[in-house]
Amino acid sequence: MSDREPEDRYDLSSRRKSFLGLTKESALKGLFGGNAFVSIVVLGLITFFLFKEGFGFFGQYREDLTIYRKSGLEYVELMREEQNALSALNRYLNSIRTLQSEQLTESGLEFSDVKAVLRKDEDFFYDFEDLAFPLREHILEASEVVATARDSYEEMLDLQEHRQNLINAGRQSEANSFEITEIDLGQMFELVKSKEGDFNAINRHLEEEIPALLERAPIYDDPDLNSRMNRFKELATLFLSEIPVYEERIVLWNREDAISIGESFTSFIFGKKWVTNSSIQNWYGIVPLFSGSLLVAMIAMFFAVPFGVGAAVYVNQVARPLEQNLIKPFIEFISAIPSVVIGFFGIAVFGTLIRNMSGWDSMEWVNFFPLSERLTGFTAGCLLALMAIPTIFTLAEDALNNVPIAFKEASMALGSTKLQTIIRIIVPTALSGIISAVLLGFGRVIGETMVVLLCAGNRIEIPQFTEGIGVFFEPVHTMTGIIAQELGEVVNGSLHYRALFVVGLTLFLISLLINYFAQKIVLKFQISRG
Amino acid sequence: MSLVADRVEPSTKMDVPESESQADERNRSLIKISNFDFFYGDKQALFDINMDIAEREVTAFIGPSGCGKSTLLRCINRMNDLIDIARIGRGNVQVNGVDVYDERVDATELRKRVGMVFQKSNPFPKSIYENVVYGLRIQGINRKSVLDDTVERCLKGAALWEEVSDRLDTSGLSLSGGQQQRLCIARALAVEPDILLMDEPCSALDPVATAKVEELINNLKNRYTIVIVTHNMQQAARVSDKTAFFYLGNLIEMNATVQIFMSPEKEQTEAYISGRFG
Ligand SMILES: Nc1ncnc2c1ncn2[C@@H]1O[C@H](COP(=O)(O)OP(=O)(O)OP(=O)(O)O)[C@@H](O)[C@H]1O
Ligand SMILES: [Mg+2]
């Protein structure tokens, strides 16, 4: 046999070098597979954590609402609604008086003379104000009792939990060493409930006094003031007719009604109040935040869609190569600006600019101008539009670019103009791509935090959609903004903490939905192109 | 035939009213290309082309890949306007006596007279019906009766009516390759052009579909002037009356098809046809 065996050309077994039983290929495969696995696990954990923290909220919120009912806070709040209605009446009355004094001053009267005129019928105003007094007192008292009851009850729960923890830890003696006063919410509430007669008596008093007082209402020379006073009388009569409704609601209210988990769910989803750190009751309703987010996103999309899509069509179809090379990087550059810088610009320059512009004489025809606020949904929306434009532009431009040149040639060869080709062939063909670009831009806007936190004004209230266009110029708060603002301050595991998680979860679901639809649309796009 | 936009005074229009005798004459030259040079950027693609293309005849362009057949074809209906770097050096292209590169000529009007069918079938992602009527819709013609008539006439003209008459609403992209190409021909016919430019219309088709398109060309040549680019010698021989042979951007030889295939004058032509180079 020779030293070297002739190579067997049909020995097809692998000749790749291996290290620790791993070939290069399988090592690489392991590396990439491992990376993919880790990211999936991390994502899964994040999602799981979000859901876990979030869903705990509903149970906890239900307990919270139950205490709210059992302690009688809810009962007091029902009575307070009547008080609020009365206060609103009083405010309206005061506005008439303010208007009168303004009119008098404008007519050139001395200050002392103005006072003299006003003094003429001040009795009427003071008497009406005094009417609200007993009701306020009654409610204040009741509210103090139930709030104290609630606070001590919660303290008791805390102590009980603490003791239980000690027992679980085996520190029995320590656990027995402190006493826990049992609080009976029912008993405490009886104190309030027993005074229901007083409440009814106050109402009888109101029913008697208000009509009598209205008889004495002053009559003015000025028609405007007079019509306002008449309006006041109408409102007061309306209030009177509603007193039985308030009473009935209190009678119907039942302390023993249990709160279901569904109720805690709906009071989150449809809750119109987001109130934290309140001495009476915290509310976690997402509607004001959701509508704020939606409002800001709508403003942003109103500007970003025409600009983004328009620019994409222009750059892709009309612009000369030189223009393309100029515009494209410029728009894409916008997305490189950190959002905090854009927000800073919004506060420092843009918000002020808008407010100042709203004060211009040429802007007087807009009925809600001039603006009092610098930071509004509009300010934030405009800046968000700036951030959405690159997203929409880039993706829409891609979609347009994907339209086969053959379509354009065919259309031109049939004698259509460039514009006709764009409108009838290119944009419709790219439409699903453009729509998904818009959707993803919307997702970007809904999820953006810094700009809204800095520029949206952060007033937690449902925007007044009845105001027409004016609604866009109200300060709003958003889902992203509230998380960024409040998460740092809440106690870990508290109801508030969990509520913020559910807000995050809602955002997560919205983004998921948007992405899902965007992908579906793109998929349809690919199919229709064959 | 008016290629000139309305802003031009009637007197300056280069319309030649067709007299009876002219219309009857078969060999009247409809497309006239003289001393034509064409560039892509700095690169010259066509060198001093001179040719006459007669009315109601089929003229075939043959020649090796990259010799400028498509380029010349696309110069006739100014499709090269779409290419940024394209420019004309010298000479002109006349269609029915009008210089198509005259600045008063509206390219869209020109393209309504000079239809085009592309190498790769390219129906729009619209229904078969909408594909055919597209050329009318962009001219603002939306009368249902007119559109319906056009669809039937053109699909019949393109020998496609039988196959698709019961599914005009389905997407043009759902047809087979051969059907798509005939749909594109129908679409081009709908605008009622005088000239039909076809750039390798059968290169993506199987022999059966090719035969159908060739038969179609034979039928169409009674009414249209057809210029067809092809790499298939048999096809050129079968369908064309005249054949032009190009090489490296030059027109080497143009003559009656029989003449070219039987006894070419130039050696290069002979070599190409007999397959000695390509
Ligand atoms: N858009 C363009 N930009 C630059 N050069 C081009 C362009 N189109 C064609 N050319 C060049 O012009 C020359 C002629 O091209 P053309 O497409 O007319 O050839 P052809 O004869 O149609 O070839 P084929 O038979 O392969 O279709 C080629 O050298 C080609 O590289
Ligand atoms: Mg070609």
Side-chain angles (χ1 to χ4, degrees):
Chain A
M1 243 191 207
S2 63
D3 289 356
R4 271 187 65 164
E5 280 183 47
E7 215 175 326
D8 180 1
R9 277 170 47 76
Y10 285 89
D11 173 13
L12 298 180
S13 59
S14 172
R15 258 171 245 139
R16 290 179 199 137
K17 291 209 188 82
S18 71
F19 176 73
L20 295 176
L22 278 174
T23 61
K24 207 160 139 196
E25 262 93 317
S26 58
L28 273 179
K29 203 170 121 190
L31 181 67
F32 289 125
N35 285 353
F37 180 73
V38 168
S39 22
I40 289 174
V41 166
V42 169
L43 272 178
L45 280 176
I46 291 176
T47 318
F48 173 76
F49 182 64
L50 255 177
F51 273 83
K52 182 179 145 280
E53 293 293 310
F55 277 126
F57 167 79
F58 294 107
Q60 217 171 334
Y61 196 30
R62 175 191 180 186
E63 274 164 34
D64 188 65
L65 289 175
T66 308
I67 295 178
Y68 175 65
R69 175 165 292 169
K70 293 270 183 228
S71 65
L73 273 168
E74 191 177 33
Y75 174 86
V76 176
E77 288 308 302
L78 282 178
M79 292 197 292
R80 203 189 296 277
E81 277 174 30
E82 182 180 333
Q83 188 200 336
N84 289 343
L86 198 55
S87 309
L89 270 181
N90 246 317
R91 276 199 302 278
Y92 190 78
L93 204 56
N94 282 333
S95 79
I96 297 179
R97 203 161 160 77
T98 316
L99 185 70
Q100 189 192 10
S101 97
E102 275 172 14
Q103 278 184 353
L104 291 173
T105 319
E106 260 172 49
S107 69
L109 282 182
E110 287 295 320
F111 182 63
S112 53
D113 295 336
V114 173
K115 272 189 122 176
V117 177
L118 288 177
R119 197 170 301 132
K120 214 170 46 163
D121 34 44
E122 73 180 0
D123 277 356
F124 170 73
F125 290 93
Y126 289 150
D127 286 354
F128 196 87
E129 215 173 305
D130 288 346
L131 276 181
F133 192 65
L135 185 62
R136 195 163 59 228
E137 279 298 286
H138 179 77
I139 289 170
L140 200 64
E141 226 168 85
S143 155
E144 239 159 57
V145 174
V146 290
T148 317
R150 196 262 322 262
D151 290 346
S152 357
Y153 184 74
E154 282 185 342
E155 201 179 309
M156 176 193 82
L157 289 183
D158 280 350
L159 286 176
Q160 277 175 351
E161 195 186 326
H162 183 52
R163 173 146 73 183
Q164 196 57 49
N165 285 346
L166 286 178
I167 292 174
N168 289 349
R171 291 147 74 179
Q172 192 73 40
S173 57
E174 212 177 319
N176 290 336
S177 69
F178 61 89
E179 240 169 70
I180 300 175
T181 350
E182 283 293 326
I183 307 285
D184 186 351
L185 281 179
Q187 240 170 25
M188 301 284 273
F189 176 64
E190 269 313 308
L191 292 176
V192 175
K193 180 78 179 166
S194 62
K195 289 192 180 153
E196 201 166 284
D198 292 1
F199 177 65
N200 291 340
I202 291 170
N203 279 338
R204 294 297 83 71
H205 179 67
L206 285 176
E207 278 168 350
E208 237 170 71
E209 290 297 314
I210 291 180
L213 204 64
L214 289 182
E215 297 285 307
R216 288 166 40 205
I219 295 166
Y220 300 103
D221 303 330
D222 185 75
D224 189 25
L225 286 178
N226 247 344
S227 79
R228 277 172 198 250
M229 186 49 87
N230 285 336
R231 176 77 188 136
F232 169 73
K233 284 182 191 167
E234 275 171 34
L235 289 173
T237 322
L238 191 71
F239 171 73
L240 280 178
S241 70
E242 273 172 0
I243 288 182
V245 181
Y246 292 121
E247 276 181 6
E248 197 185 47
R249 267 161 63 184
I250 282 177
V251 174
L252 288 180
W253 179 81
N254 185 359
R255 185 174 168 270
E256 305 306 324
D257 280 347
I259 292 192
S260 69
I261 195 92
E263 258 170 282
S264 97
F265 189 71
T266 46
S267 65
F268 173 78
I269 296 287
F270 302 114
K272 296 191 183 67
K273 279 190 283 183
W274 181 279
V275 182
T276 56
N277 301 329
S278 155
S279 61
I280 301 171
Q281 171 73 5
N282 287 346
W283 294 102
Y284 303 102
I286 202 174
V287 174
L289 306 173
F290 182 78
S291 54
S293 278
L294 205 64
L295 185 90
V296 174
M298 268 160 52
I299 299 167
M301 295 317 273
F302 178 79
F303 292 109
V305 170
F307 280 107
V309 175
V313 170
Y314 181 79
V315 165
N316 192 267
Q317 295 295 323
V318 188
R320 280 169 289 134
L322 183 75
E323 286 176 291
Q324 279 185 9
N325 292 340
L326 218 69
I327 299 175
K328 256 170 101 164
F330 189 79
I331 293 185
E332 274 149 21
F333 166 75
I334 299 176
S335 63
I337 306 176
S339 56
V340 68
V341 175
I342 293 189
F344 183 69
F345 168 79
I347 292 183
V349 184
F350 191 65
T352 319
L353 187 75
I354 289 189
R355 191 178 54 184
N356 290 350
M357 272 168 64
S358 75
W360 288 356
D361 289 345
S362 53
M363 287 289 186
E364 231 166 89
W365 52 273
V366 188
N367 53 11
F368 47 84
F369 277 179
L371 301 171
S372 54
E373 304 285 347
R374 192 161 56 103
L375 302 179
T376 63
F378 185 78
T379 316
C382 288
L383 294 166
L384 281 183
L386 198 66
M387 307 189 67
I389 284 174
T391 310
I392 296 180
F393 170 81
T394 311
L395 293 171
E397 218 254 339
D398 274 356
L400 289 166
N401 224 358
N402 278 336
V403 176
I405 186 94
F407 290 166
K408 182 175 174 182
E409 287 196 331
S411 168
M412 298 294 280
L414 287 166
S416 67
T417 61
K418 210 160 187 175
L419 190 67
Q420 283 173 324
T421 305
I422 291 172
I423 293 173
R424 285 171 181 264
I425 300 293
I426 303 203
V427 171
T429 310
L431 192 63
S432 28
I434 293 176
I435 291 176
S436 69
V438 168
L439 275 180
L440 291 174
F442 185 79
R444 172 108 170 76
V445 163
I446 278 273
E448 169 54 40
T449 310
M450 212 40 170
V451 168
V452 289
L453 189 62
L454 293 177
C455 303
N458 298 353
R459 190 185 66 175
I460 310 177
E461 231 162 88
I462 301 177
Q464 310 236 286
F465 285 96
T466 48
E467 293 266 305
I469 307 288
V471 69
F472 298 122
F473 294 89
E474 285 175 29
V476 293
H477 215 316
T478 55
M479 295 192 284
T480 47
I482 204 96
I483 297 176
Q485 186 180 4
E486 294 183 348
L487 198 57
E489 301 161 3
V490 294
V491 182
N492 202 329
S494 68
L495 184 58
H496 188 180
Y497 167 86
R498 287 186 198 276
L500 292 176
F501 261 92
V502 188
V503 175
L505 208 60
T506 315
L507 266 171
F508 180 61
L509 289 179
I510 293 174
S511 303
L512 217 61
L513 268 178
I514 290 174
N515 276 301
Y516 172 75
F517 281 115
Q519 289 209 344
K520 264 198 98 126
I521 289 171
V522 169
L523 213 64
K524 189 179 148 251
F525 171 65
Q526 281 163 350
I527 290 167
S528 78
R529 284 247 313 282
Chain B
M1 163 154 141
S2 156
L3 304 174
V4 183
D6 293 338
R7 63 200 146 84
V8 182
E9 323 274 288
S11 58
T12 61
K13 274 195 183 179
M14 280 167 279
D15 267 15
V16 183
E18 285 186 24
S19 68
E20 285 289 303
S21 62
Q22 267 177 320
D24 284 347
E25 193 189 333
R26 264 186 72 93
N27 294 328
R28 189 179 74 97
S29 152
L30 186 60
I31 303 170
K32 188 172 173 60
I33 300 167
S34 350
N35 307 106
F36 192 67
D37 284 350
F38 187 85
F39 295 84
Y40 288 112
D42 293 332
K43 185 170 165 286
Q44 187 161 4
L46 295 174
F47 299 85
D48 194 30
I49 307 288
N50 285 288
M51 82 168 29
D52 282 328
I53 294 174
E55 196 173 28
R56 280 177 234 175
E57 276 188 357
V58 178
T59 304
F61 287 1
I62 60 170
S65 193
C67 66
K69 308 178 295 291
S70 301
T71 303
L72 183 59
L73 200 70
R74 292 162 59 95
C75 284
I76 300 173
N77 67 346
R78 283 183 58 175
M79 282 304 282
N80 281 329
D81 289 10
L82 301 187
I83 297 168
D84 291 314
I85 55 171
R87 72 188 166 84
I88 302 151
R90 188 170 66 100
N92 60 47
V93 177
Q94 288 180 6
V95 173
N96 200 27
V98 179
D99 178 1
V100 299
Y101 285 98
D102 188 293
E103 60 184 17
R104 285 169 304 179
V105 168
D106 183 351
T108 60
E109 290 301 317
L110 171 71
R111 294 185 194 126
K112 284 174 196 162
R113 307 286 190 278
V114 186
M116 188 160 203
V117 176
F118 297 83
Q119 173 173 8
K120 201 169 163 288
S121 61
N122 53 359
F124 299 127
K126 296 173 182 279
S127 68
I128 293 175
Y129 186 96
E130 285 303 321
N131 260 289
V132 179
V133 301
Y134 179 80
L136 300 185
R137 287 219 194 267
I138 56 174
Q139 295 176 34
I141 301 170
N142 284 312
R143 279 261 305 282
K144 181 116 177 46
S145 58
V146 178
L147 299 185
D148 287 349
D149 288 349
T150 308
V151 169
E152 188 171 343
R153 179 173 52 78
C154 294
L155 286 176
K156 278 181 176 159
L160 190 59
W161 177 252
E162 239 98 278
E163 289 155 68
V164 301
S165 62
D166 55 341
R167 49 173 175 143
L168 295 176
D169 291 338
T170 54
S171 166
L173 294 168
S174 67
L175 300 174
S176 76
Q179 288 173 327
Q180 287 191 11
Q181 194 59 295
R182 277 178 284 151
L183 177 60
C184 292
I185 295 174
R187 183 175 67 184
L189 297 183
V191 204
E192 300 189 353
D194 302 318
I195 300 167
L196 211 50
L197 308 175
M198 301 177 134
D199 194 350
E200 300 180 47
C202 301
S203 64
L205 303 186
D206 68 44
V208 179
T210 302
K212 279 199 168 148
V213 173
E214 283 179 11
E215 194 189 321
L216 181 59
I217 292 171
N218 264 324
N219 293 336
L220 293 175
K221 79 173 174 194
N222 298 324
R223 272 168 294 146
Y224 302 93
T225 305
I226 296 174
V227 184
I228 179 170
V229 173
T230 178
H231 280 285
N232 181 332
M233 294 305 120
Q234 284 83 20
Q235 183 171 61
R238 278 194 301 267
V239 301
S240 69
D241 303 307
K242 297 265 174 60
T243 298
F245 171 65
F246 293 84
Y247 185 59
L248 296 179
N250 292 288
L251 173 60
I252 305 297
E253 184 174 357
M254 178 170 178
N255 220 327
T257 302
V258 188
Q259 193 74 34
I260 292 272
F261 281 92
M262 292 305 180
S263 51
E265 282 168 15
K266 300 271 166 50
E267 202 180 317
Q268 282 163 316
T269 319
E270 154 103 71
Y272 180 69
I273 288 166
S274 56
R276 270 187 273 125
F277 83 93

